[in-house]
Short mmCIF file of all heavy atoms in Angstrom, two decimals:
data_model
loop_
_atom_site.label_atom_id
_atom_site.label_comp_id
_atom_site.label_asym_id
_atom_site.label_seq_id
_atom_site.Cartn_x
_atom_site.Cartn_y
_atom_site.Cartn_z
N MET T 1 102.28 95.24 95.50
CA MET T 1 103.68 94.74 95.43
C MET T 1 104.50 95.83 94.69
O MET T 1 104.07 96.35 93.66
CB MET T 1 103.71 93.39 94.73
CG MET T 1 105.17 92.90 94.44
SD MET T 1 105.17 91.28 93.74
CE MET T 1 105.49 90.37 95.14
N ILE T 2 105.66 96.09 95.20
CA ILE T 2 106.56 97.00 94.65
C ILE T 2 107.28 96.38 93.41
O ILE T 2 107.81 95.21 93.58
CB ILE T 2 107.54 97.45 95.65
CG1 ILE T 2 106.90 98.19 96.76
CG2 ILE T 2 108.70 98.38 95.04
CD1 ILE T 2 107.81 98.54 97.97
N GLN T 3 107.27 97.05 92.33
CA GLN T 3 107.85 96.48 91.04
C GLN T 3 109.03 97.22 90.54
O GLN T 3 109.69 96.79 89.60
CB GLN T 3 106.73 96.28 90.02
CG GLN T 3 105.69 95.39 90.47
CD GLN T 3 104.58 95.32 89.49
OE1 GLN T 3 104.46 96.12 88.54
NE2 GLN T 3 103.73 94.35 89.70
N ASN T 4 109.32 98.46 91.08
CA ASN T 4 110.44 99.26 90.60
C ASN T 4 110.92 100.23 91.69
O ASN T 4 110.26 100.33 92.69
CB ASN T 4 110.07 99.93 89.27
CG ASN T 4 108.87 100.87 89.49
OD1 ASN T 4 108.80 101.71 90.32
ND2 ASN T 4 107.88 100.70 88.53
N ASP T 5 112.05 100.84 91.37
CA ASP T 5 112.59 101.77 92.29
C ASP T 5 111.73 102.95 92.65
O ASP T 5 111.71 103.47 93.76
CB ASP T 5 113.96 102.23 91.86
CG ASP T 5 115.02 101.14 91.85
OD1 ASP T 5 114.74 100.03 92.42
OD2 ASP T 5 116.14 101.33 91.34
N GLU T 6 110.94 103.43 91.69
CA GLU T 6 109.99 104.60 91.95
C GLU T 6 109.00 104.17 92.98
O GLU T 6 108.68 104.95 93.85
CB GLU T 6 109.40 105.05 90.68
CG GLU T 6 110.21 105.89 89.80
CD GLU T 6 109.40 106.46 88.62
OE1 GLU T 6 108.21 106.71 88.70
OE2 GLU T 6 110.05 106.62 87.55
N GLN T 7 108.42 103.05 92.85
CA GLN T 7 107.49 102.46 93.80
C GLN T 7 108.08 102.27 95.18
O GLN T 7 107.45 102.54 96.17
CB GLN T 7 106.77 101.23 93.31
CG GLN T 7 105.93 101.41 92.09
CD GLN T 7 105.26 100.18 91.56
OE1 GLN T 7 105.71 99.02 91.94
NE2 GLN T 7 104.36 100.27 90.60
N LEU T 8 109.32 101.86 95.13
CA LEU T 8 110.10 101.71 96.46
C LEU T 8 110.18 103.03 97.14
O LEU T 8 109.89 103.20 98.30
CB LEU T 8 111.48 101.16 96.17
CG LEU T 8 112.42 101.17 97.33
CD1 LEU T 8 111.95 100.21 98.47
CD2 LEU T 8 113.84 100.84 96.88
N LYS T 9 110.59 104.11 96.40
CA LYS T 9 110.72 105.37 97.04
C LYS T 9 109.37 105.91 97.47
O LYS T 9 109.25 106.57 98.57
CB LYS T 9 111.27 106.35 95.98
CG LYS T 9 112.76 106.10 95.78
CD LYS T 9 113.32 107.04 94.72
CE LYS T 9 114.78 106.61 94.40
NZ LYS T 9 115.34 107.29 93.28
N ALA T 10 108.31 105.68 96.77
CA ALA T 10 106.89 106.06 97.15
C ALA T 10 106.53 105.37 98.45
O ALA T 10 105.96 105.90 99.34
CB ALA T 10 105.99 105.85 96.08
N ALA T 11 106.82 104.09 98.58
CA ALA T 11 106.52 103.30 99.76
C ALA T 11 107.32 103.81 101.02
O ALA T 11 106.77 103.93 102.06
CB ALA T 11 106.83 101.82 99.56
N GLN T 12 108.61 104.15 100.73
CA GLN T 12 109.35 104.73 101.83
C GLN T 12 108.84 106.05 102.32
O GLN T 12 108.87 106.37 103.44
CB GLN T 12 110.90 104.79 101.34
CG GLN T 12 111.50 103.49 101.21
CD GLN T 12 112.84 103.59 100.50
OE1 GLN T 12 113.02 104.44 99.58
NE2 GLN T 12 113.86 102.69 100.85
N GLN T 13 108.45 106.86 101.28
CA GLN T 13 107.87 108.18 101.71
C GLN T 13 106.53 107.99 102.42
O GLN T 13 106.34 108.74 103.37
CB GLN T 13 107.69 109.05 100.37
CG GLN T 13 107.23 110.43 100.70
CD GLN T 13 108.21 111.26 101.47
OE1 GLN T 13 109.42 111.26 101.17
NE2 GLN T 13 107.69 111.88 102.58
N ALA T 14 105.72 107.03 102.01
CA ALA T 14 104.49 106.77 102.72
C ALA T 14 104.77 106.39 104.15
O ALA T 14 104.04 106.86 105.05
CB ALA T 14 103.77 105.68 102.01
N ILE T 15 105.67 105.58 104.37
CA ILE T 15 106.05 105.19 105.72
C ILE T 15 106.49 106.39 106.53
O ILE T 15 106.02 106.57 107.66
CB ILE T 15 107.09 104.08 105.75
CG1 ILE T 15 106.51 102.71 105.22
CG2 ILE T 15 107.70 103.89 107.19
CD1 ILE T 15 107.54 101.61 104.99
N PHE T 16 107.33 107.22 105.98
CA PHE T 16 107.76 108.39 106.61
C PHE T 16 106.62 109.32 107.04
O PHE T 16 106.51 109.75 108.16
CB PHE T 16 108.78 109.18 105.75
CG PHE T 16 109.23 110.48 106.32
CD1 PHE T 16 110.23 110.46 107.31
CD2 PHE T 16 108.76 111.65 105.89
CE1 PHE T 16 110.66 111.70 107.83
CE2 PHE T 16 109.21 112.91 106.38
CZ PHE T 16 110.12 112.86 107.40
N ASN T 17 105.69 109.49 106.10
CA ASN T 17 104.55 110.35 106.31
C ASN T 17 103.66 109.69 107.46
O ASN T 17 103.12 110.46 108.34
CB ASN T 17 103.70 110.52 105.08
CG ASN T 17 104.43 111.30 104.08
OD1 ASN T 17 105.35 112.05 104.39
ND2 ASN T 17 104.05 111.21 102.84
N LEU T 18 103.37 108.48 107.41
CA LEU T 18 102.63 107.78 108.45
C LEU T 18 103.28 107.89 109.82
O LEU T 18 102.54 108.10 110.85
CB LEU T 18 102.39 106.26 108.12
CG LEU T 18 101.44 106.13 106.89
CD1 LEU T 18 101.54 104.62 106.43
CD2 LEU T 18 99.98 106.55 107.15
N GLU T 19 104.58 107.79 109.85
CA GLU T 19 105.27 107.83 111.16
C GLU T 19 105.13 109.25 111.75
O GLU T 19 104.99 109.53 112.90
CB GLU T 19 106.76 107.49 110.98
CG GLU T 19 106.92 105.95 110.78
CD GLU T 19 108.36 105.65 110.46
OE1 GLU T 19 109.16 106.51 109.99
OE2 GLU T 19 108.67 104.42 110.51
N LYS T 20 105.19 110.29 110.80
CA LYS T 20 104.98 111.74 111.23
C LYS T 20 103.61 111.84 111.86
O LYS T 20 103.49 112.53 112.82
CB LYS T 20 105.28 112.66 110.01
CG LYS T 20 106.70 112.93 109.72
CD LYS T 20 106.90 113.88 108.59
CE LYS T 20 105.88 114.93 108.34
NZ LYS T 20 106.20 115.83 107.28
N VAL T 21 102.66 111.28 111.21
CA VAL T 21 101.22 111.42 111.68
C VAL T 21 101.11 110.84 113.11
O VAL T 21 100.56 111.37 113.98
CB VAL T 21 100.28 110.67 110.80
CG1 VAL T 21 98.92 110.42 111.38
CG2 VAL T 21 100.11 111.44 109.47
N LEU T 22 101.78 109.67 113.29
CA LEU T 22 101.72 109.03 114.65
C LEU T 22 102.53 109.87 115.65
O LEU T 22 102.08 110.01 116.86
CB LEU T 22 102.44 107.63 114.55
CG LEU T 22 101.56 106.60 113.78
CD1 LEU T 22 102.30 105.29 113.80
CD2 LEU T 22 100.20 106.40 114.44
N LEU T 23 103.60 110.39 115.32
CA LEU T 23 104.42 111.29 116.27
C LEU T 23 103.57 112.52 116.69
O LEU T 23 103.50 112.86 117.86
CB LEU T 23 105.68 111.75 115.70
CG LEU T 23 106.72 110.65 115.54
CD1 LEU T 23 107.90 111.10 114.68
CD2 LEU T 23 107.22 110.15 116.88
N GLU T 24 102.83 113.07 115.69
CA GLU T 24 101.97 114.23 116.07
C GLU T 24 100.74 113.76 116.87
O GLU T 24 100.35 114.54 117.81
CB GLU T 24 101.59 115.03 114.83
CG GLU T 24 102.79 115.71 114.12
CD GLU T 24 103.52 116.69 115.11
OE1 GLU T 24 102.84 117.49 115.70
OE2 GLU T 24 104.79 116.62 115.07
N ALA T 25 100.22 112.72 116.47
CA ALA T 25 98.97 112.29 117.20
C ALA T 25 99.27 111.93 118.67
O ALA T 25 98.44 112.16 119.53
CB ALA T 25 98.41 110.99 116.45
N ARG T 26 100.43 111.35 118.91
CA ARG T 26 100.81 111.05 120.19
C ARG T 26 100.86 112.25 121.14
O ARG T 26 100.67 112.16 122.35
CB ARG T 26 102.18 110.30 120.21
CG ARG T 26 102.53 109.54 121.43
CD ARG T 26 103.69 108.60 121.22
NE ARG T 26 104.78 109.27 120.68
CZ ARG T 26 105.88 108.67 120.39
NH1 ARG T 26 106.05 107.39 120.56
NH2 ARG T 26 106.91 109.26 119.84
N LYS T 27 101.09 113.43 120.64
CA LYS T 27 101.16 114.58 121.37
C LYS T 27 99.82 115.17 121.77
O LYS T 27 99.67 115.93 122.75
CB LYS T 27 101.93 115.71 120.61
CG LYS T 27 103.29 115.41 120.31
CD LYS T 27 103.90 116.53 119.38
CE LYS T 27 105.33 116.18 118.95
NZ LYS T 27 105.85 117.22 118.01
N VAL T 28 98.82 114.87 121.07
CA VAL T 28 97.51 115.50 121.31
C VAL T 28 96.38 114.57 121.70
O VAL T 28 95.35 115.04 122.13
CB VAL T 28 97.02 116.28 120.00
CG1 VAL T 28 97.95 117.35 119.71
CG2 VAL T 28 96.82 115.33 118.81
N HIS T 29 96.54 113.23 121.66
CA HIS T 29 95.58 112.30 122.03
C HIS T 29 95.95 111.56 123.34
O HIS T 29 97.12 111.47 123.67
CB HIS T 29 95.43 111.17 120.95
CG HIS T 29 94.90 111.72 119.71
ND1 HIS T 29 93.52 112.07 119.48
CD2 HIS T 29 95.47 111.98 118.47
CE1 HIS T 29 93.35 112.47 118.26
NE2 HIS T 29 94.51 112.49 117.60
N SER T 30 94.95 111.19 124.05
CA SER T 30 95.11 110.39 125.20
C SER T 30 95.75 109.07 124.84
O SER T 30 95.68 108.71 123.68
CB SER T 30 93.76 110.23 125.98
OG SER T 30 93.00 109.31 125.21
N ALA T 31 96.24 108.42 125.85
CA ALA T 31 96.91 107.10 125.59
C ALA T 31 95.93 106.11 124.92
O ALA T 31 96.19 105.45 123.92
CB ALA T 31 97.52 106.49 126.88
N GLU T 32 94.68 106.17 125.44
CA GLU T 32 93.66 105.22 124.92
C GLU T 32 93.27 105.57 123.49
O GLU T 32 93.16 104.70 122.66
CB GLU T 32 92.40 105.26 125.88
CG GLU T 32 91.32 104.31 125.44
CD GLU T 32 90.17 104.34 126.40
OE1 GLU T 32 90.36 104.37 127.63
OE2 GLU T 32 88.99 104.29 125.93
N GLU T 33 93.07 106.82 123.29
CA GLU T 33 92.75 107.29 121.90
C GLU T 33 93.88 106.95 120.93
O GLU T 33 93.66 106.52 119.88
CB GLU T 33 92.47 108.79 121.93
CG GLU T 33 91.21 109.27 122.51
CD GLU T 33 91.12 110.74 122.64
OE1 GLU T 33 92.16 111.46 122.75
OE2 GLU T 33 89.94 111.27 122.63
N TYR T 34 95.09 107.21 121.39
CA TYR T 34 96.28 106.97 120.51
C TYR T 34 96.38 105.51 120.18
O TYR T 34 96.62 105.16 118.96
CB TYR T 34 97.52 107.47 121.17
CG TYR T 34 98.74 107.19 120.30
CD1 TYR T 34 98.98 107.96 119.26
CD2 TYR T 34 99.60 106.11 120.60
CE1 TYR T 34 100.11 107.75 118.36
CE2 TYR T 34 100.67 105.85 119.78
CZ TYR T 34 100.90 106.66 118.71
OH TYR T 34 101.99 106.34 117.88
N ARG T 35 96.19 104.62 121.15
CA ARG T 35 96.28 103.26 120.85
C ARG T 35 95.24 102.78 119.84
O ARG T 35 95.46 101.99 118.91
CB ARG T 35 96.11 102.37 122.15
CG ARG T 35 97.38 102.36 122.94
CD ARG T 35 97.29 101.41 124.10
NE ARG T 35 98.31 101.68 125.15
CZ ARG T 35 98.05 102.42 126.21
NH1 ARG T 35 96.88 102.95 126.43
NH2 ARG T 35 99.11 102.68 127.01
N SER T 36 94.08 103.33 120.03
CA SER T 36 92.96 102.93 119.14
C SER T 36 93.20 103.48 117.68
O SER T 36 93.00 102.75 116.72
CB SER T 36 91.58 103.57 119.64
OG SER T 36 90.66 103.34 118.74
N MET T 37 93.63 104.70 117.58
CA MET T 37 93.85 105.28 116.20
C MET T 37 95.13 104.80 115.54
O MET T 37 95.23 104.88 114.36
CB MET T 37 93.66 106.80 116.22
CG MET T 37 94.67 107.57 117.03
SD MET T 37 96.29 107.99 116.21
CE MET T 37 95.84 108.81 114.81
N SER T 38 96.11 104.47 116.32
CA SER T 38 97.38 104.12 115.76
C SER T 38 97.38 102.73 115.19
O SER T 38 98.23 102.41 114.37
CB SER T 38 98.53 104.30 116.81
OG SER T 38 98.40 103.37 117.84
N GLU T 39 96.58 101.81 115.74
CA GLU T 39 96.62 100.45 115.33
C GLU T 39 96.54 100.27 113.81
O GLU T 39 97.38 99.57 113.24
CB GLU T 39 95.58 99.63 116.04
CG GLU T 39 95.68 98.14 115.64
CD GLU T 39 94.67 97.30 116.50
OE1 GLU T 39 94.07 97.82 117.48
OE2 GLU T 39 94.45 96.19 116.11
N PRO T 40 95.59 100.78 113.05
CA PRO T 40 95.58 100.59 111.63
C PRO T 40 96.63 101.20 110.93
O PRO T 40 97.19 100.72 109.86
CB PRO T 40 94.22 101.17 111.20
CG PRO T 40 93.73 102.05 112.36
CD PRO T 40 94.43 101.51 113.59
N ILE T 41 97.19 102.34 111.41
CA ILE T 41 98.33 103.03 110.84
C ILE T 41 99.55 102.16 110.99
O ILE T 41 100.31 102.00 110.00
CB ILE T 41 98.51 104.43 111.39
CG1 ILE T 41 97.30 105.30 111.10
CG2 ILE T 41 99.86 105.03 110.85
CD1 ILE T 41 97.24 106.64 111.79
N LEU T 42 99.75 101.56 112.16
CA LEU T 42 100.88 100.71 112.34
C LEU T 42 100.87 99.43 111.52
O LEU T 42 101.86 98.98 110.97
CB LEU T 42 100.98 100.33 113.83
CG LEU T 42 101.36 101.49 114.83
CD1 LEU T 42 101.13 101.06 116.24
CD2 LEU T 42 102.80 101.93 114.58
N LEU T 43 99.68 98.92 111.28
CA LEU T 43 99.46 97.76 110.40
C LEU T 43 99.86 98.12 108.94
O LEU T 43 100.47 97.40 108.26
CB LEU T 43 98.05 97.26 110.54
CG LEU T 43 97.71 96.53 111.78
CD1 LEU T 43 96.23 96.18 111.82
CD2 LEU T 43 98.53 95.25 111.95
N GLU T 44 99.43 99.39 108.53
CA GLU T 44 99.78 99.82 107.23
C GLU T 44 101.26 100.04 107.10
O GLU T 44 101.89 99.54 106.02
CB GLU T 44 99.12 101.18 106.93
CG GLU T 44 99.44 101.76 105.64
CD GLU T 44 98.79 101.07 104.39
OE1 GLU T 44 97.92 100.30 104.58
OE2 GLU T 44 99.37 101.23 103.33
N ILE T 45 101.90 100.54 108.10
CA ILE T 45 103.44 100.66 107.96
C ILE T 45 104.09 99.33 107.92
O ILE T 45 104.95 99.09 107.15
CB ILE T 45 103.91 101.41 109.25
CG1 ILE T 45 103.55 102.89 109.17
CG2 ILE T 45 105.42 101.23 109.43
CD1 ILE T 45 103.80 103.68 110.50
N GLN T 46 103.58 98.37 108.74
CA GLN T 46 104.12 97.00 108.72
C GLN T 46 103.95 96.35 107.34
O GLN T 46 104.90 95.73 106.84
CB GLN T 46 103.40 96.17 109.83
CG GLN T 46 104.01 94.84 109.92
CD GLN T 46 103.31 94.05 111.08
OE1 GLN T 46 102.05 94.12 111.22
NE2 GLN T 46 104.11 93.30 111.82
N GLN T 47 102.84 96.48 106.71
CA GLN T 47 102.61 95.97 105.38
C GLN T 47 103.52 96.60 104.40
O GLN T 47 104.09 95.85 103.54
CB GLN T 47 101.17 96.16 104.92
CG GLN T 47 100.83 95.66 103.50
CD GLN T 47 101.04 94.23 103.31
OE1 GLN T 47 100.70 93.42 104.29
NE2 GLN T 47 101.48 93.85 102.18
N ARG T 48 103.65 97.87 104.42
CA ARG T 48 104.59 98.53 103.46
C ARG T 48 105.97 98.11 103.67
O ARG T 48 106.83 97.93 102.70
CB ARG T 48 104.44 100.04 103.58
CG ARG T 48 103.10 100.46 102.99
CD ARG T 48 102.94 102.05 103.06
NE ARG T 48 101.65 102.42 102.61
CZ ARG T 48 101.33 102.91 101.40
NH1 ARG T 48 102.29 103.13 100.51
NH2 ARG T 48 100.08 103.32 101.07
N GLU T 49 106.44 97.95 104.92
CA GLU T 49 107.77 97.48 105.22
C GLU T 49 107.98 96.14 104.71
O GLU T 49 109.05 95.80 104.18
CB GLU T 49 108.04 97.56 106.74
CG GLU T 49 108.24 99.03 107.22
CD GLU T 49 108.40 99.07 108.72
OE1 GLU T 49 108.00 98.13 109.46
OE2 GLU T 49 108.92 100.09 109.16
N HIS T 50 106.99 95.31 104.77
CA HIS T 50 107.04 93.91 104.26
C HIS T 50 107.26 93.98 102.77
O HIS T 50 108.10 93.18 102.21
CB HIS T 50 105.87 93.11 104.68
CG HIS T 50 105.80 91.78 104.03
ND1 HIS T 50 106.54 90.72 104.49
CD2 HIS T 50 105.06 91.25 103.00
CE1 HIS T 50 106.30 89.64 103.74
NE2 HIS T 50 105.45 89.96 102.77
N GLU T 51 106.56 94.80 102.08
CA GLU T 51 106.71 94.91 100.62
C GLU T 51 108.03 95.50 100.23
O GLU T 51 108.65 94.99 99.25
CB GLU T 51 105.65 95.85 100.11
CG GLU T 51 104.19 95.23 100.14
CD GLU T 51 103.13 96.32 99.73
OE1 GLU T 51 103.49 97.38 99.26
OE2 GLU T 51 102.03 95.88 99.80
N ILE T 52 108.59 96.41 101.02
CA ILE T 52 109.92 96.93 100.78
C ILE T 52 111.01 95.83 100.83
O ILE T 52 111.80 95.67 100.08
CB ILE T 52 110.24 98.09 101.69
CG1 ILE T 52 109.43 99.30 101.26
CG2 ILE T 52 111.73 98.43 101.64
CD1 ILE T 52 109.41 100.48 102.26
N LEU T 53 110.86 95.08 101.91
CA LEU T 53 111.87 94.00 102.18
C LEU T 53 111.73 92.96 101.08
O LEU T 53 112.76 92.36 100.62
CB LEU T 53 111.64 93.32 103.57
CG LEU T 53 112.05 94.24 104.72
CD1 LEU T 53 111.61 93.51 106.12
CD2 LEU T 53 113.46 94.60 104.70
N ALA T 54 110.49 92.62 100.66
CA ALA T 54 110.38 91.61 99.53
C ALA T 54 111.01 92.19 98.30
O ALA T 54 111.71 91.44 97.56
CB ALA T 54 108.85 91.34 99.32
N TYR T 55 110.79 93.46 98.00
CA TYR T 55 111.44 94.00 96.79
C TYR T 55 112.97 94.06 96.93
O TYR T 55 113.62 93.67 95.93
CB TYR T 55 110.93 95.40 96.55
CG TYR T 55 111.54 96.24 95.44
CD1 TYR T 55 111.12 95.85 94.14
CD2 TYR T 55 112.46 97.17 95.59
CE1 TYR T 55 111.72 96.52 93.00
CE2 TYR T 55 113.02 97.87 94.56
CZ TYR T 55 112.69 97.51 93.27
OH TYR T 55 113.27 98.10 92.14
N LEU T 56 113.46 94.43 98.04
CA LEU T 56 114.92 94.52 98.21
C LEU T 56 115.59 93.14 98.27
O LEU T 56 116.74 92.99 97.90
CB LEU T 56 115.25 95.39 99.50
CG LEU T 56 114.94 96.83 99.45
CD1 LEU T 56 115.20 97.48 100.77
CD2 LEU T 56 115.65 97.51 98.30
N SER T 57 114.85 92.12 98.63
CA SER T 57 115.45 90.80 98.66
C SER T 57 115.49 90.04 97.35
O SER T 57 116.14 89.08 97.18
CB SER T 57 114.75 89.91 99.73
OG SER T 57 113.44 89.72 99.32
N ALA T 58 114.64 90.61 96.39
CA ALA T 58 114.52 90.01 95.10
C ALA T 58 115.76 90.39 94.18
O ALA T 58 116.29 91.48 94.33
CB ALA T 58 113.25 90.39 94.37
N THR T 59 116.12 89.44 93.33
CA THR T 59 117.18 89.84 92.32
C THR T 59 116.59 90.68 91.23
O THR T 59 115.32 90.73 91.03
CB THR T 59 117.80 88.55 91.71
OG1 THR T 59 116.80 87.86 91.01
CG2 THR T 59 118.34 87.59 92.80
N THR T 60 117.42 91.28 90.38
CA THR T 60 116.95 92.03 89.29
C THR T 60 116.06 91.23 88.30
O THR T 60 115.05 91.69 87.88
CB THR T 60 118.07 92.65 88.50
OG1 THR T 60 118.95 93.39 89.39
CG2 THR T 60 117.69 93.55 87.40
N ALA T 61 116.40 89.96 88.04
CA ALA T 61 115.70 89.11 87.24
C ALA T 61 114.33 88.80 87.77
O ALA T 61 113.29 88.80 87.12
CB ALA T 61 116.48 87.82 86.92
N GLU T 62 114.26 88.54 89.08
CA GLU T 62 113.01 88.24 89.76
C GLU T 62 112.06 89.50 89.64
O GLU T 62 110.87 89.27 89.52
CB GLU T 62 113.26 87.85 91.23
CG GLU T 62 113.83 86.55 91.31
CD GLU T 62 114.29 86.30 92.75
OE1 GLU T 62 114.58 87.16 93.48
OE2 GLU T 62 114.36 85.11 93.08
N VAL T 63 112.61 90.74 89.91
CA VAL T 63 111.78 91.88 89.86
C VAL T 63 111.32 92.09 88.43
O VAL T 63 110.16 92.39 88.23
CB VAL T 63 112.67 93.11 90.32
CG1 VAL T 63 111.83 94.45 90.04
CG2 VAL T 63 112.94 93.03 91.72
N SER T 64 112.14 91.92 87.36
CA SER T 64 111.78 92.09 86.01
C SER T 64 110.71 91.06 85.58
O SER T 64 109.86 91.37 84.77
CB SER T 64 112.97 91.86 85.05
OG SER T 64 113.94 92.90 85.34
N ALA T 65 110.75 89.84 86.17
CA ALA T 65 109.79 88.85 85.78
C ALA T 65 108.45 89.09 86.41
O ALA T 65 107.44 88.57 85.90
CB ALA T 65 110.31 87.46 86.20
N GLY T 66 108.42 89.92 87.36
CA GLY T 66 107.17 90.36 87.93
C GLY T 66 106.53 89.52 88.97
O GLY T 66 105.51 89.55 89.33
#
């Protein structure tokens, strides 16, 4: 769970990096290979996006309370 702005930035950077991996993988793998290898990465992106949205939707008091 994201608890501060630094962790938010790290999560955003992680998503960016994972997306870059997928874009490059799509160029070199067959469709079947890409689907297989991209699934866990896409799930990781989805989880991180969920954490980002939860952090951004919380008030300052809620974030401070932990």
Side-chain angles (χ1 to χ4, degrees):
M1 175 178 257
I2 298 172
Q3 298 176 346
N4 57 51
D5 290 353
E6 279 186 37
Q7 291 177 349
L8 170 65
K9 289 177 185 173
Q12 290 170 325
Q13 184 63 48
I15 289 172
F16 177 77
N17 292 340
L18 291 168
E19 289 172 342
K20 279 178 37 178
V21 166
L22 290 176
L23 288 171
E24 292 303 313
R26 198 166 49 183
K27 294 176 186 176
V28 296
H29 293 285
S30 69
E32 184 177 317
E33 290 172 331
Y34 178 77
R35 282 188 198 95
S36 176
M37 64 84 56
S38 68
E39 185 176 343
I41 296 172
L42 291 168
L43 290 173
E44 177 70 20
I45 290 171
Q46 186 177 39
Q47 176 61 36
R48 289 180 186 259
E49 287 175 338
H50 174 74
E51 291 174 4
I52 289 170
L53 292 174
Y55 177 75
L56 292 175
S57 66
T59 64
T60 303
E62 292 169 332
V63 170
S64 297

